[in-house]
């Protein structure tokens, strides 16, 4: 199995696990963790944090490449020549916060 195939499998497993977390909490009354840039459309939820934590944990179990994440920033030593993971644990947070099922990992 080549390196890209392994990374794809890690990505799929992590995305499914994070998606399960998001779906579990969809419709919950949750707290907005923060509003970024003082905009009602640029928010983060507790579900973002739970999903991101799971994704980073799963990536780190199998790969030591750095991670650039929407919520946590850079995890590990970033060397753009060697590659890195890019993680957005909840794309569509505004939809999610308004209980609209149009969001993704």
């Amino acid at each position: 199995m080549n390196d890209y195939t392994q990374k794809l499998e890690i990505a799929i497993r992590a995305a499914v696990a994070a998606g399960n977390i998001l779906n579990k909490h969809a419709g919950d009354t949750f707290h907005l963790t923060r509003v970024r840039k003082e905009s009602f459309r640029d928010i983060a939820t507790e579900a973002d944090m739970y999903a991101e934590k799971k994704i980073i944990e799963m990536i780190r179990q199998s790969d030591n490449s750095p991670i650039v994440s929407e919520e946590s920033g850079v995890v590990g030593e970033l060397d753009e020549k060697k590659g890195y993971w890019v993680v957005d644990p909840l794309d569509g947070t505004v939809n999610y916060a308004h209980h609209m099922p149009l969001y993704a990992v």
Side-chain angles (χ1 to χ4, degrees):
M1 184 179 319
N2 70 37
D3 191 47
Y4 291 112
T5 301
Q6 289 175 319
K7 288 182 186 299
L8 178 59
E9 288 181 6
I10 294 167
I12 290 169
R13 285 193 311 269
V16 168
N20 288 338
I21 290 169
L22 296 175
N23 289 337
K24 175 183 170 188
H25 292 285
D28 286 358
T29 303
F30 53 84
H31 297 78
L32 294 177
T33 305
R34 66 180 178 271
V35 176
R36 295 184 291 242
K37 300 178 191 167
E38 300 181 13
S39 167
F40 75 94
R41 297 183 68 187
D42 196 5
I43 60 177
T45 66
E46 288 179 348
D48 278 295
M49 304 304 160
Y50 299 149
E52 180 186 74
K53 182 178 178 183
K54 186 64 172 178
I55 292 168
I56 291 172
E57 172 187 303
M58 292 182 75
I59 291 171
R60 285 300 205 202
Q61 287 174 355
S62 304
D63 188 358
N64 64 356
S65 298
I67 301 166
V68 177
S69 182
E70 177 90 22
E71 308 306 328
S72 296
V74 177
V75 178
E77 286 288 321
L78 187 60
D79 180 350
E80 294 180 14
K81 294 176 186 172
K82 293 184 178 179
Y84 52 92
W85 292 85
V86 177
V87 174
D88 185 355
L90 175 53
D91 185 29
T93 306
V94 172
N95 290 343
Y96 188 86
H98 289 96
H99 310 294
M100 295 171 43
L102 302 170
Y103 56 87
V105 174

